[in-house]
Amino acid sequence: SDYQQLGYNLRINLFQGGPLKSQSLMRDSYTPDVFQKAVIDPRHWHGRRISELGRWYEKYFLDRNVLKAMKQKYG
C-alpha cells in the first residue's frame, strides 16, 4: 500500500551521516584573518571564569604530575 511504501522510503534514508564539510554562519560571515587574530583566553572561556575550586584542581593535578615525573626519573 501507499502507507507501507512511504514508511519504506523514510526508513531507507536514515543515518546517512553528517555532511563532509560543515558550514557555519559565523565562519562564513568573517574573513580568515579574524580567526587568526583571535586570542583564546583560558581564564575567560565564553564568559565563564574558572572558579577557585577549578584553580585548586589545576594546581593539585599539576603537583601530582610533577611528583609522578620525579618518581619516574629518580625512583
Side-chain angles (χ1 to χ4, degrees), residues 19 40 49 52-53 55 60 62 67 73:
I40 299 172
R49 295 188 182 277
E52 292 298 319
L53 183 62
R55 285 194 194 99
Y60 173 75
L62 180 65
L67 287 175
K73 186 168 184 174

Side-chain angles (χ1 to χ4, degrees), residues 20-64:
L20 295 177
K21 182 180 177 186
S22 63
Q23 292 181 332
S24 167
L25 178 63
M26 185 183 82
R27 193 167 295 279
D28 292 340
S29 300
Y30 296 102
T31 56
D33 64 315
V34 171
F35 297 104
Q36 292 169 356
K37 292 178 186 175
V39 177
I40 299 172
D41 185 6
R43 298 280 177 203
H44 191 269
W45 183 75
H46 287 283
R48 298 183 190 133
R49 295 188 182 277
I50 296 176
S51 66
E52 292 298 319
L53 183 62
R55 285 194 194 99
W56 183 87
Y57 272 107
E58 282 180 354
K59 291 176 186 175
Y60 173 75
F61 284 112
L62 180 65
D63 185 51
R64 299 231 353 151

Side-chain angles (χ1 to χ4, degrees), residues 10-18:
L10 289 174
R11 286 192 306 270
I12 210 160
N13 197 23
L14 290 179
F15 307 118
Q16 294 294 317

Side-chain angles (χ1 to χ4, degrees), residues 1-12:
S1 73
D2 292 338
Y3 181 74
Q4 290 175 344
Q5 185 66 29
L6 176 64
Y8 174 76
N9 289 333
L10 289 174
R11 286 192 306 270
I12 210 160

